[in-house]
Amino acid sequence: MNISTLLQEQKSFFFSGATQTKEFRKEQLQKLRTAILEREQDWYGAFHKDFRKCSFEAYTTEIALVVSEIDFALKHLSSWMKPKRVFPSLLNFPSHDFVYYCPYGVALIISPWNYPLQLTFEPLVGAIAAGNCSVLKPSEMTPNVSNVIEELITTIFPKEYCAVITGGIDASQELLGQQFDKIFFTGSSAVGKIVMKAAAEYLTPLTLELGGKSPCIIDQTANLSVAALRIAWGKFMNAGQTCVAPDFLYVYEKIKERFIIELQHAIKKLYGVEPKQSPDFPRIINEKHFLRITALMKEGKIVHGGETDSSELYIAPTVLDGITWSDGIMQEEIFGPLLPIISFTDLNDVVQTLQSKSKPLSLYYFGESKETQERILRDVPSGGACINDTVVHFINPHLPIGGVGNSGSGNYHGEASFKTFSHLKSVLKKPTWIDLPIRYAPYKNKLPLLKWIFKLI
């Protein structure tokens, strides 16, 4: 498929006005919803081939989240699309002032491999709801899921409205060389910088959903058994290949040994004594990532797990103690089933250290003190956060999801997705039956009156 030609076809379709109506947008969202559910068994098969992911996890973390996002958009689209009336300025009296939500035009959505269905279609829901045409670039690292995505989109949408471009780095580079009206990228911070440079060429509006080392703090007031189970679930879901997973633990020194015991119990509860035999524990995406992750296991002391099998790309849920910030595992996002532990005795030191690091996508704190909870939320920068839980803020469509600094820019989910793919156009409507002369030259003797008006604003 010629990408330049495709882009021109989509721009022509957009300027035809076909995507502007509420009825059209709702019809496309409903088509997408139906098509996703009709292929439920196809998704399960594709996820098992790419990750050895079980059907339950494929449904909850992929299919259900997208369908819920579509339902939320269908329910609220009418109110989102209405121009919002705002208070006028006295300086413009009389006037009626509005914010209009206008689609950008043609959006490019580049999605990653770790949650290929969810992270392709959730942005697409926002693009459709906002009235855009779209080009999707799913990851080549999940060929089976990407094939289902391509078949679905090709079947239900004409290419001049929504199309899929497959391929590797060359395809991505060719896409980024085109002048899209909006780019939405989900992936690593390193590739995010490349995308940002490409967007700068045409000053293209850009949303970046990246990652980072999301900290999880467990203090002496935490409910250790609950904390351990919720952390183990959030960390080892998808074999740790989750952008908002807890990347490392900060554990209060005096409770560390007890917490490690609880964490060991929690992992066994989730995946049994031999997680390799569990039907619920996925595999690493490919050999390159397998080798990268296993190389990170050489530091600290393994207090749980540590088993690997290169023939199956299997790495057990692994907990590492005795880790410091100088260790290699703390220099990059792990994106795998390794959970390092750093001890602390003074929360002030934790806060100061985290303030000096790159801002993470998520922040997790376990503890019962309301005052400390608010301090952590206030003083430790992050894209999002949970108190006494992990990951689950991602599933609420009322909560905008997005990073800050190195972990991204912009937000999506629910109404935030609609706004992400919309230009907010400021509109002033003014009658002609009156025309106050104060703004027109000559300005002699008008300054005192102007100052008085400004005081009233």
Side-chain angles (χ1 to χ4, degrees):
M1 186 183 299
N2 185 289
I3 292 175
S4 180
T5 301
L6 172 65
L7 182 56
Q8 292 308 312
E9 289 176 352
Q10 289 209 347
K11 289 192 174 187
S12 295
F13 185 76
F14 173 75
F15 284 119
S16 75
T19 69
Q20 296 285 352
T21 69
K22 174 181 64 179
E23 291 73 22
F24 177 86
R25 300 181 197 187
K26 284 190 171 183
E27 182 183 352
Q28 310 319 307
L29 289 171
Q30 191 61 60
K31 281 183 185 178
L32 182 62
R33 185 187 193 280
T34 300
I36 290 171
L37 291 175
E38 285 177 347
R39 290 163 175 77
E40 183 174 343
Q41 296 304 317
D42 295 337
W43 295 122
Y44 294 154
F47 278 111
H48 195 271
K49 289 177 182 177
D50 286 337
F51 290 96
R52 223 201 78 169
K53 184 181 287 191
C54 70
S55 298
F56 181 91
E57 194 166 301
Y59 183 81
T60 55
T61 65
E62 302 268 8
I63 300 170
L65 288 182
V66 175
V67 171
S68 296
E69 187 81 1
I70 294 172
D71 290 341
F72 192 81
L74 286 168
K75 181 178 180 180
H76 296 283
L77 184 59
S78 296
S79 63
W80 293 346
M81 288 182 65
K82 288 179 181 177
K84 304 298 187 294
R85 190 166 181 177
V86 298
F87 283 107
S89 168
L90 184 61
L91 290 168
N92 288 322
F93 177 83
S95 72
H96 299 297
D97 296 20
F98 302 86
V99 175
Y100 278 59
Y101 296 94
C102 304
Y104 280 110
V106 180
L108 171 62
I109 298 171
I110 303 177
S111 54
W113 53 264
N114 58 322
Y115 290 93
L117 188 162
Q118 177 205 140
L119 297 179
T120 300
F121 286 153
E122 286 210 356
L124 178 61
V125 171
I128 291 173
N132 297 276
C133 298
S134 304
V135 175
L136 310 180
K137 172 56 180 70
S139 174
E140 70 279 9
M141 292 169 63
T142 49
N144 294 286
V145 175
S146 293
N147 285 342
V148 181
I149 290 173
E150 183 179 22
E151 183 275 329
L152 183 155
I153 294 297
T154 303
T155 300
I156 67 171
F157 295 136
K159 71 179 188 306
E160 62 268 22
Y161 173 61
C162 184
V164 175
I165 299 296
T166 57
I169 295 175
D170 290 345
S172 297
Q173 289 176 336
E174 186 177 358
L175 285 165
L176 290 171
Q178 305 297 318
Q179 189 172 2
F180 284 89
D181 300 302
K182 170 74 180 184
I183 297 176
F184 190 106
F185 171 79
T186 307
S188 70
S189 299
V191 180
K193 294 177 182 178
I194 297 172
V195 175
M196 198 169 194
K197 287 180 180 178
E201 177 68 23
Y202 296 109
L203 298 178
T204 304
L206 175 65
T207 298
L208 295 173
E209 296 296 328
L210 309 176
K213 297 190 72 65
S214 297
C216 182
I217 304 166
I218 303 97
D219 81 7
Q220 64 268 38
T221 68
N223 183 321
L224 298 188
S225 60
V226 172
L229 188 59
R230 292 178 180 178
I231 291 168
W233 174 79
K235 173 62 180 181
F236 299 115
M237 172 196 307
N238 204 34
Q241 299 166 116
T242 304
C243 57
V244 292
D247 197 82
F248 65 97
L249 306 182
Y250 254 130
V251 184
Y252 188 68
E253 178 66 40
K254 291 183 178 179
I255 65 167
K256 186 182 72 172
E257 296 305 321
R258 285 191 291 133
F259 177 75
I260 288 175
I261 292 172
E262 293 290 350
L263 191 56
Q264 291 168 335
H265 290 328
I267 295 170
K268 291 176 183 177
K269 183 176 182 179
L270 292 172
Y271 303 112
V273 178
E274 295 187 35
K276 186 179 180 182
Q277 306 305 321
S278 171
D280 302 322
F281 189 72
R283 299 302 189 251
I284 305 304
I285 186 63
N286 59 27
E287 184 180 12
K288 177 183 175 181
H289 281 277
F290 175 87
L291 294 174
R292 178 187 62 81
I293 296 166
T294 53
L296 297 175
M297 297 170 61
K298 297 175 181 178
E299 296 164 318
K301 176 186 177 183
I302 295 175
V303 295
H304 188 86
E307 300 84 12
T308 66
D309 184 343
S310 60
S311 67
E312 288 193 17
L313 300 179
Y314 166 77
I315 300 175
T318 299
V319 181
L320 298 162
D321 191 17
I323 297 296
T324 68
W325 276 102
S326 62
D327 291 326
I329 198 170
M330 297 303 295
Q331 309 309 309
E332 62 178 270
E333 184 179 5
I334 297 169
F335 226 67
L338 311 183
L339 189 54
I341 296 177
I342 299 176
S343 304
F344 76 91
T345 56
D346 187 343
L347 191 62
N348 292 321
D349 294 336
V350 172
V351 171
Q352 290 175 8
T353 299
L354 293 178
Q355 288 174 341
S356 71
K357 304 297 181 181
S358 294
K359 298 171 184 177
L361 187 56
S362 292
L363 166 68
Y364 305 113
Y365 171 79
F366 286 83
E368 299 301 318
S369 167
K370 297 292 192 295
E371 181 180 350
T372 306
Q373 292 173 4
E374 292 306 314
R375 186 202 172 186
I376 293 296
L377 293 174
R378 180 188 69 239
D379 293 344
V380 181
S382 66
C386 289
I387 300 295
N388 290 322
D389 212 336
T390 65
V391 177
V392 292
H393 61 306
F394 200 85
I395 69 175
N396 183 355
H398 293 281
L399 290 175
I401 296 297
V404 58
N406 205 56
S407 58
S409 60
N411 302 96
Y412 75 125
H413 278 205
E415 188 175 9
S417 288
F418 173 81
K419 289 182 176 179
T420 287
F421 285 95
S422 299
H423 164 61
L424 277 61
K425 181 183 290 186
S426 299
V427 176
L428 181 145
K429 297 182 179 180
K430 200 161 187 177
T432 57
W433 58 267
I434 187 172
D435 197 21
L436 298 179
I438 187 172
R439 67 174 173 172
Y440 300 116
Y443 300 122
K444 184 179 180 181
N445 299 325
K446 291 182 179 180
L447 186 57
L449 177 59
L450 185 66
K451 289 182 177 179
W452 179 77
I453 294 174
F454 267 103
K455 288 180 180 179
L456 297 179
I457 297 175

